[in-house]
Amino acid sequence: MIPARVGAVLPILLAGLAACTLDCTLLPCFGGLLINLDGEPEAGTVVEVRLAGATTVVVDCDESLCWPFLHLGEVTADRVTVVVTSPAGQVSADFQPNYERMEPNGSGCGSCVGAEISVQRP
């Protein structure tokens, strides 16, 4: 049995929901940190991501997907150092990612916070 107070409000809520339609798409929302590499890494490439707070994420590109991008979904660090090591050498770059709220499926269809940076290969 629905309590009287809820029963009185329920038709109004249902009418409001019926009037509210969203045209949402189903695109993925890449929140966190997206690191673009400037080309397909050669065999033996390792990407090391040092986050503010002494956390380091190491990704072996022979075992994980590094190209066209490396996605660290839970990362929102304000300072990041990316070190790319390959048989050709090593490059290191410091970043202050600019995180933005995104709604790739349309307004009101869910959001995430993410930033994108680009790194050169050695």
Side-chain angles (χ1 to χ4, degrees):
M1 178 171 189
I2 299 175
R5 293 169 73 186
V6 173
V9 176
L10 193 57
I12 296 169
L13 290 174
L14 292 176
L17 288 175
C20 177
T21 60
L22 296 175
D23 292 326
C24 298
T25 60
L26 299 175
L27 298 172
C29 196
F30 288 107
L33 185 62
L34 201 63
I35 302 170
N36 292 307
L37 296 180
D38 71 341
E40 187 171 1
E42 61 187 298
T45 298
V46 174
V47 178
E48 183 178 333
V49 184
R50 300 176 189 153
L51 311 173
T55 300
T56 300
V57 177
V58 178
V59 179
D60 181 340
C61 295
D62 291 341
E63 298 175 6
S64 298
L65 180 64
C66 291
W67 186 78
F69 59 83
L70 175 61
H71 180 227
L72 303 177
E74 300 300 319
V75 172
T76 55
D78 57 351
R79 288 187 324 274
V80 177
T81 299
V82 180
V83 180
V84 180
T85 305
S86 76
Q90 185 179 72
V91 294
S92 177
D94 296 319
F95 298 92
Q96 290 182 315
N98 180 27
Y99 294 92
E100 298 178 354
R101 180 162 302 283
M102 300 172 281
E103 293 183 295
N105 294 302
S107 180
C109 296
S111 66
C112 59
V113 176
E116 187 172 339
I117 59 177
S118 295
V119 179
Q120 299 294 315
R121 291 177 303 131

